[in-house]
Amino acid sequence: NRGGSQVQYAFSPDQNLTGKTNIYLSFHNIYEQNQDSMGAVEYSIDKGATWLPILYMLDGPDIKLGADGKPDGYATMTAANPDTAIDPNGGVDANGGLVRTYGAFIGVATNQWPNIGSFISARINDNPIESKRIELFRLPKADNQATVRLRFAHAGTGSWYFGIDNVGFYTINSASQPALKLNGITAAGGNVTITWAGAAGIKLQSLATLGGVWADVTGSDGASTVTVPAGNAAAFFRLVK
């Protein structure tokens, strides 16, 4: 959607997950980040009376960091941004300007914003590929709940789009489905060493440009670390099983 200050919301019907545990949300994401836009996903277990965080997609430079170098949820949601969508209920600030903050468009209560930093996800501005992906999130408070509702929000000014498809709740036994996780990337002596959790059945793949064809990294199949020569160009890596 393009043009002007845009604010859009979509809500799911309540889903009965009574008797279900290890609940995950999965959806196909068709999102393109604009420097002034936000895509947000939240859930409620009390018919929308309160909301819990799942995902906040923002342009990296708009994410405020705390002293520990991690996203600061409160600072990010309260920071004034001159190009953020206009809050129709926000009035004016101390200087007489229109209120423009990302926090105006999320459902989680203000007193919980200091706890949502880990749910903020930096996305790449104007990149048409990076956020075309299948998203998967654990919803710990949705286990065994009779009324689980989703809230999708998109806010921006003349910004790109946020499309969703194949939305579903799943029970996933995490004990039998270990997460694929890169543990470290370090450079030394003209080489880059990449390490990850697990070994059997897991291999590392790389490519030079997003949207290209992924290729297996030699020597990574069944290992948990690999060392490759450092180059002068960007490279992207992923784990597959």
Side-chain angles (χ1 to χ4, degrees):
N1 190 31
R2 299 283 288 176
S5 182
Q6 61 204 45
V7 182
Q8 304 168 97
Y9 301 101
F11 297 86
S12 78
D14 290 327
Q15 302 296 312
N16 186 352
L17 303 181
T18 302
K20 309 294 184 181
T21 58
N22 296 320
I23 298 298
Y24 284 76
L25 167 69
S26 175
F27 64 93
H28 290 204
N29 195 4
I30 308 171
Y31 180 76
E32 184 169 344
Q33 181 67 53
N34 186 248
Q35 66 267 17
D36 58 15
S37 67
M38 176 181 66
V41 188
E42 298 167 312
Y43 72 111
S44 174
I45 58 174
D46 54 15
K47 299 184 177 182
T50 60
W51 293 94
L52 300 162
I54 299 176
L55 172 67
Y56 303 103
M57 297 179 288
L58 290 169
D59 189 25
D62 282 354
I63 299 174
K64 308 303 180 184
L65 303 180
D68 58 0
K70 297 179 180 179
D72 183 319
Y74 187 84
T76 299
M77 293 301 167
T78 58
N81 297 288
D83 57 357
T84 304
I86 299 169
D87 177 7
N89 301 311
V92 296
D93 60 24
N95 299 316
L98 294 171
V99 174
R100 295 173 180 261
T101 62
Y102 290 118
F105 311 107
I106 71 173
V108 171
T110 308
N111 63 357
Q112 295 301 313
W113 291 0
N115 304 321
I116 65 174
S118 61
F119 301 93
I120 296 174
S121 175
R123 303 296 170 105
I124 302 174
N125 178 51
D126 290 341
N127 189 303
I129 297 172
E130 184 261 350
S131 285
K132 307 299 190 297
R133 59 173 78 173
I134 297 175
E135 308 277 7
L136 182 68
F137 302 98
R138 174 76 169 101
L139 309 186
K141 294 189 177 181
D143 290 359
N144 201 38
Q145 295 297 314
T147 54
V148 181
R149 181 182 304 185
L150 297 174
R151 179 186 192 273
F152 294 87
H154 184 224
T157 55
S159 296
W160 298 115
Y161 44 83
F162 181 16
I164 57 175
D165 197 4
N166 295 332
V167 180
F169 295 106
Y170 298 88
T171 290
I172 299 177
N173 186 345
S174 59
S176 62
Q177 300 286 337
L180 299 180
K181 180 182 179 182
L182 291 173
N183 287 337
I185 301 177
T186 57
N191 294 315
V192 175
T193 298
I194 303 169
T195 60
W196 57 91
I202 298 175
K203 58 186 175 183
L204 187 71
Q205 294 184 327
S206 70
L207 54 70
T209 304
L210 287 174
V213 178
W214 291 93
D216 295 347
V217 175
T218 302
S220 68
D221 193 0
S224 59
T225 183
V226 69
T227 299
V228 297
N232 295 321
F236 299 87
F237 296 89
R238 73 175 184 183
L239 294 171
V240 296
K241 184 174 183 179

